[in-house]
Amino acid sequence: MSQVDHYAVLGIDPSASAEEVKKAFRRLTLEYHPDRHAGDATAEERYRQINAAYETLSDPAARARYDAQRRFGGLDLSRGGFDGQSARDLLGNVFGDVFGTRRNQRRKGRDLRYTLTVDLPQAVLGGSFGIEFEAPGVCTGCNGSGTKPGGRAAESCPNCGGRGEVKGEGMFARRTRCGRCDGTGMIQLDACGDCRGSGARKQRRAFDVKLPPGTAAGAERVLTGLGEPGRFGGEPGDLRITVNVRPHPRLRRDGDDIRCELAISLTEAALGTKVLVPTVDGEVELEVPAGIRSGTKLRLRNKGVPLAEAARRKPARGDQLVEVVVETPQLAATPAGERVRAALVALQTACDEAGALPRRASERSRPG
Ligand SMILES: [Zn+2]
Ligand SMILES: [Zn+2]
C-alpha cells in the first residue's frame, strides 16, 4: 500500500504515548514549516502529511480507528469480512486527512447491487458466503485520492469555481455540467496515472456476506461503505445484496416451519416403515407408524427455521412437517403388472374377511 503511514510520518512507534505524538509533531512542524521552505513542493507535502498525521493521532477516537485500519492492512477494501460501518469510518478518516477542508467537493460513491443466490438450507441456517465481482474500487495507485503519490493535491475547478456546473449565455440560460471538471468541481493537478484522477479503478472485489439464520428470499443486506468509492473524499456508496433462494426439490419454507411431502406405498402405510427424509440439516430417519392415513402430518421437532433472537422460545427452531401421501399402485399391462393386480385382489379379499377396513365397511353397508 502506498498510503503514507501516520506513525512513519511522525517518526514514532505505533505504541507512542499522546505526549510523544505531540512532541514529534512540534519538532517536525518547526522543521518543515512552509515559511522555512518557500516554494519547496516536497517540504510542503511533508508538512501536510505531518499535520494530517497529527490530526488523526492526537484524537483518541480517530487514532483508534486508524490503528484498526492499519492492522487491517491499509485501505484495501477488496477484502471484506468486516462490518461496513467501520469501513465508512476508515474512509471518512483517511479522506478527511487527505482533503482537509475541501469537504464541500465531496461526491458520494454509487451503491453497488449484487444478487446472492443460496440454497434453501443455507438461507435457513445462515452462514458466511463469499462473493466476488468486478466493480470500481479504491485505486491502489493513489489510495482513492486521484492524485499521484507526492503530487499536488486536487484544486477547485477555475472554470466553474468549484460548483461543477456553469451558466450559459443569455438571460434564461440553463446551468450545465462543467466540462472542465466533469461536474466534480475539482481539477487534478497531478492526476494518478492508474485511475486518471478518478480515484477509482475497476477491480476484482471480494466480500464475505454473513446471512443470519432464518434469512428469507428477497431479504436485503446492506454493507455500508463497500460500494463504489466517493470522489474527492466523498463517502463511498453501499453494497446492497439481495438474497435469492434457490427452490429445493423437496422442502419449502412456511414461516418458521419447513414442509415436505413423503410418498409411501399402500402397504408401507399399513405396515409402518422407516424412511430417510431430507431436512435443512441433512437426511434424518423418520418412523412412519403402522396404519397411518394419507394426509397425516408427521412432525420433526426442531428441524425448522431458527427463530429470530427476539422471538426465541424453547425449542429455538420451528419444526418440519412431513405430509404423508399414500401412493396408489399404477397397474401396467405387463406380466409384472398382472402380478400386482392379483396381489391387490387377494389383499382386498383378505381385508374384507378380517374387517381390516372398518370405515369403508360401514359406509358401504348403508342403504344407498
Ligand atoms: Zn489512482
Ligand atoms: Zn468545473
Side-chain angles (χ1 to χ4, degrees):
M1 299 304 297
S2 56
Q3 190 202 337
V4 190
D5 186 273
H6 288 335
Y7 291 105
V9 165
L10 294 184
I12 52 174
D13 196 75
S15 61
S17 67
E19 194 52 45
E20 288 172 292
V21 171
K22 197 182 282 179
K23 257 168 74 179
F25 170 69
R26 283 203 185 124
R27 184 173 57 76
L28 291 167
T29 39
L30 277 175
E31 197 178 327
Y32 287 95
H33 199 278
D35 288 354
R36 299 171 66 171
H37 301 273
D40 181 348
T42 315
E44 268 175 39
E45 168 70 7
R46 187 95 167 83
Y47 184 73
R48 199 185 58 78
Q49 288 174 354
I50 291 159
N51 277 285
Y54 183 68
E55 194 187 317
T56 299
L57 300 184
S58 60
D59 174 349
R63 183 176 176 179
R65 282 199 301 273
Y66 177 74
D67 284 348
Q69 171 217 331
R70 218 172 151 269
R71 274 196 299 278
F72 193 73
L75 253 186
D76 186 6
L77 292 184
S78 60
R79 284 277 142 205
F82 53 96
D83 76 282
Q85 193 53 51
S86 61
R88 173 166 284 175
D89 286 353
L90 299 181
L91 283 174
N93 188 23
V94 171
F95 283 124
D97 292 346
V98 173
F99 288 99
T101 55
R102 287 197 193 90
R103 281 157 208 277
N104 55 330
Q105 306 297 354
R106 293 174 166 203
R107 293 284 186 279
K108 190 175 189 297
R110 280 186 300 185
D111 288 350
L112 290 174
R113 287 175 191 282
Y114 187 91
T115 302
L116 171 63
T117 301
V118 296
D119 292 324
L120 178 72
Q122 293 176 319
V124 167
L125 299 176
S128 193
F129 302 90
I131 63 172
E132 236 183 276
F133 53 84
E134 294 248 327
V138 175
C139 171
T140 49
C142 60
N143 273 310
S145 69
T147 304
K148 71 179 170 198
R152 291 164 293 167
E155 269 187 1
S156 194
C157 172
N159 189 43
C160 61
R163 283 183 296 275
E165 50 180 25
V166 285
K167 211 174 169 207
E169 299 296 317
M171 213 184 328
F172 302 106
R174 284 189 307 159
R175 293 193 164 275
T176 54
R177 193 181 175 85
C178 172
R180 176 97 187 264
C181 61
D182 198 24
T184 62
M186 296 289 280
I187 292 286
Q188 292 285 2
L189 299 174
D190 291 310
C192 164
D194 292 348
C195 62
R196 290 201 219 103
S198 72
R201 262 193 110 185
K202 202 166 191 188
Q203 54 195 252
R204 196 129 204 91
R205 304 190 64 188
F207 303 96
D208 282 327
V209 182
K210 288 188 178 63
L211 297 183
T215 295
E220 196 181 60
R221 297 280 292 155
V222 179
L223 300 187
T224 312
L226 296 183
E228 290 190 15
R231 292 194 75 178
F232 304 110
E235 281 188 356
D238 300 332
L239 172 57
R240 311 185 84 88
I241 293 157
T242 306
V243 178
N244 178 40
V245 180
R246 211 177 272 125
H248 190 279
R250 298 277 306 276
L251 307 176
R252 67 188 167 85
R253 182 174 173 174
D254 179 16
D256 293 333
D257 293 331
I258 298 288
R259 289 178 183 272
C260 78
E261 288 189 350
L262 174 69
I264 58 173
S265 72
L266 215 57
T267 42
E268 281 174 328
L271 301 171
T273 184
K274 278 182 181 164
V275 288
L276 289 174
V277 293
T279 74
V280 292
D281 302 308
E283 287 190 320
V284 298
E285 196 178 76
L286 175 69
E287 192 170 339
V288 180
I292 197 163
R293 290 181 177 183
S294 194
T296 304
K297 292 180 187 74
L298 297 172
R299 192 174 287 267
L300 289 168
R301 294 210 179 270
N302 222 20
K303 288 288 178 195
V305 180
L307 303 179
E309 210 68 52
R312 266 203 184 158
R313 52 177 159 87
K314 276 186 180 175
R317 289 175 67 172
D319 301 329
Q320 179 167 328
L321 297 168
V322 182
E323 183 174 347
V324 171
V325 177
V326 175
E327 192 175 16
T328 307
Q330 306 294 302
L331 299 177
T334 60
E338 281 310 312
R339 282 199 296 280
V340 175
R341 177 192 296 276
L344 288 171
V345 170
L347 174 65
Q348 184 63 58
T349 308
C351 284
D352 288 343
E353 281 172 12
L357 300 166
R359 176 171 160 182
R360 175 182 165 280
S362 73
E363 288 176 2
R364 296 290 159 89
S365 66
R366 261 187 234 129

